[in-house]
Amino acid sequence: MILEVKSKPKYNLQPIQQRVEVTFNYPVHFTNGIFDLDNPLLAQIIENDGEAKPKKIVFVVDGGLLEHRGDLLSKLRQYCDRNADILTLSAEAMIVPGGEAAKNNPQLLEDIHQLVENAGICRHSYIIAIGGGAVLDLVGYAAATAHRGIRLIRIPTTVLAQNDSAVGVKNGINAFGKKNFLGSFAPPYAVINDFDFLNSLDDRDWRAGIAEAVKVALIKDAEFFEFISNNAALLARRNIEVMQQVIYRCAQLHLQHIANSGDAFEMGSSRPLDFGHWAAHKLEQLTNYRLRHGEAVAIGIALDSTYSYLEGMLSHCEWQNILNTFKILGFELYIPELAQESNIEHPRCLFRGLNEFREHLGGELTLTLLQRIGEEIEVHAVKNSSYQQAITLLSNAKM
């Protein structure tokens, strides 16, 4: 006997609404001599995870660092031997190229994944990345995607990484000719800023990192910008005490923004911490990464500040203060690539960076500009003619 079903099936069942709240906690430490045998900080961070010891660890090291710290690899082994009851070095340290080369070679991502596999690293193990911001971005992306997330400890070795990129939640590599096309939002387990590494920097890398401090001061803290401006000459002469204060305050402001912006993982179109970056990212590409990221950011900030001045948002005095501060710090604020090609259809036109910036964010174009020092304003459309005039002003200021 066959029963007849008279009622029609319901295809539109009520959706099940799910809400997941996740809290991330990670410390940013400041120290000197992190791998000195009498400095227990790294071992304590791992010991305090509350799990059975020893824990497996692997190191990925910026190759450029070894040119100045030839004894680093032996110090890593000695430190692990001293703290063998807490951590186990599960493989020899992997060396990767420093600078933007770290983010332009997808093979390096696969190599780190292979290291994880060969060393038997799991989610309760640690990858410890030591190097500049580009290396930390690469290793962070690898750590976030292996086993869907391995604990990452960042040890940044440049000013730019210590005050900006290493303290945030972003990781990524370049692809399709675009900055950070592939990446993840994944907070680190911990960050350790070791000021001793700054002594290894050349003048360009020392200076480049200050650009991000200027950026966050301009949009969030007028007093901090005044401090940088008043101490620009000391910073240019590599005064370590002033630099430590700059790094600490810059990192603090970045962390406050991430925690309190309401959009830590940038789901919206607003991204004030990328003030000056639409042009910076494009300039890095146009110069084949000859420019350091911080050098490009300084030019991008100068360009957006000049645009803000031309559009009547920023006073002449404040605009000049910004440019003069950069000049005292030693930055060049004009390069030929700014005006190399004016046709927006040309791949080497700077203004193609506006659309690439919008695509990266998603949604409508949202740029951060300045109303005054310490106070930002967001705009969703800009005048190319005013930006062309801004480029001319920067070119004239160079002469």
Side-chain angles (χ1 to χ4, degrees):
M1 178 179 178
I2 299 176
L3 297 177
E4 182 179 353
V5 179
K6 296 183 178 180
S7 61
K8 293 182 179 180
K10 293 182 178 181
Y11 293 107
N12 297 317
L13 299 176
Q14 289 296 314
I16 300 172
Q17 297 290 348
Q18 173 67 298
R19 179 182 179 86
V20 178
E21 294 187 0
V22 180
T23 299
F24 293 100
N25 292 289
Y26 62 94
V28 178
H29 297 274
F30 300 85
T31 189
N32 294 90
I34 184 60
F35 296 115
D36 291 349
L37 296 183
D38 59 353
N39 188 336
L41 180 58
L42 175 60
Q44 287 176 346
I45 289 170
I46 295 174
E47 184 176 33
N48 290 340
D49 67 13
E51 299 174 355
K53 305 295 181 297
K55 307 306 288 287
K56 290 183 176 181
I57 68 168
V58 292
F59 291 100
V60 181
V61 179
D62 188 326
L65 183 63
L66 298 181
E67 297 175 11
H68 307 279
R69 296 293 182 96
D71 63 340
L72 179 60
L73 298 184
S74 63
K75 292 192 73 170
L76 299 182
R77 289 189 290 268
Q78 291 168 13
Y79 190 90
C80 292
D81 289 343
R82 170 64 67 88
N83 296 281
D85 57 326
I86 298 172
L87 47 87
T88 298
L89 185 60
S90 297
E92 289 296 310
M94 175 177 286
I95 313 304
V96 297
E100 209 65 22
K103 299 176 66 169
N104 287 333
N105 183 357
Q107 181 61 47
L108 294 174
L109 178 67
E110 185 175 334
D111 290 344
I112 298 172
H113 285 157
Q114 190 66 60
L115 171 67
V116 169
E117 167 65 14
N118 294 344
I121 298 299
C122 70
R123 292 186 186 180
H124 296 269
S125 310
Y126 296 84
I127 295 181
I128 302 176
I130 309 171
V135 168
L136 301 186
D137 278 356
L138 163 69
V139 181
Y141 184 40
T145 49
H147 298 306
R148 297 188 181 136
I150 295 172
R151 294 170 179 174
L152 171 70
I153 296 177
R154 296 177 182 149
I155 301 180
T157 60
T158 66
V159 174
L160 183 63
Q162 290 193 3
N163 69 10
D164 181 88
S165 59
V167 303
V169 298
K170 294 188 286 189
N171 311 280
I173 59 174
N174 305 331
F176 304 103
K178 298 176 181 177
K179 286 275 290 186
N180 302 318
F181 186 87
L182 301 175
S184 64
F185 290 98
Y189 186 83
V191 181
I192 305 173
N193 280 341
D194 180 351
F195 291 129
D196 283 355
F197 281 116
L198 303 184
N199 297 324
S200 303
L201 299 177
D202 63 22
D203 288 344
R204 282 187 73 187
D205 286 319
W206 171 279
R207 180 187 311 112
I210 307 172
E212 294 286 1
V214 174
K215 173 205 72 178
V216 76
L218 286 173
I219 62 175
K220 291 186 174 295
D221 189 342
E223 289 187 5
F224 183 36
F225 177 78
E226 183 180 7
F227 176 83
I228 295 172
S229 184
N230 290 341
N231 290 280
L234 287 174
L235 287 167
R237 294 197 297 268
R238 302 185 61 135
N239 183 292
I240 189 63
E241 289 79 15
V242 175
M243 181 61 88
Q244 288 177 1
Q245 294 181 65
V246 167
I247 288 172
Y248 189 90
R249 181 57 177 158
C250 184
Q252 188 178 49
L253 287 169
H254 274 86
L255 290 167
Q256 287 175 358
H257 175 83
I258 292 167
N260 301 317
S261 68
D263 190 21
F265 294 162
E266 296 177 359
M267 301 301 291
S269 296
S270 173
R271 198 160 67 178
L273 289 182
D274 272 356
F275 171 52
H277 280 56
W278 76 265
H281 287 169
K282 192 62 179 177
L283 287 172
E284 287 180 87
Q285 178 193 353
L286 292 177
T287 61
N288 294 317
Y289 300 96
R290 182 186 77 250
L291 277 184
R292 303 284 202 275
H293 177 68
E295 293 169 338
V297 167
I299 296 171
I301 292 172
L303 182 63
D304 282 350
S305 298
T306 304
Y307 180 91
S308 299
Y309 160 65
L310 290 173
E311 288 298 303
M313 293 178 280
L314 191 65
S315 73
H316 183 273
C317 180
E318 289 181 307
W319 170 56
Q320 286 296 297
N321 190 7
I322 294 168
L323 297 191
N324 288 336
T325 297
F326 275 128
K327 290 177 181 178
I328 295 170
L329 289 169
F331 286 101
E332 293 286 341
L333 299 181
Y334 179 84
I335 58 173
E337 285 80 1
L338 279 169
Q340 188 173 50
E341 181 58 58
S342 60
N343 181 1
I344 191 66
E345 300 301 322
H346 196 283
R348 295 193 64 79
C349 177
L350 174 71
F351 297 109
R352 289 176 69 90
L354 286 168
N355 191 53
E356 292 171 5
F357 192 71
R358 180 194 61 77
E359 287 178 353
H360 190 62
L361 288 170
E364 65 181 336
L365 176 69
T366 303
L367 292 185
T368 298
L369 297 172
L370 293 179
Q371 290 193 102
R372 59 182 59 87
I373 290 175
E375 185 175 336
E376 66 184 80
I377 183 173
E378 291 185 346
V379 301
H380 304 291
V382 294
K383 301 175 185 176
N384 279 13
S385 59
S386 292
Y387 266 118
Q388 293 282 10
Q389 187 179 354
I391 291 171
T392 300
L393 286 175
L394 291 179
S395 176
N396 292 338
K398 181 178 184 293
M399 297 171 60

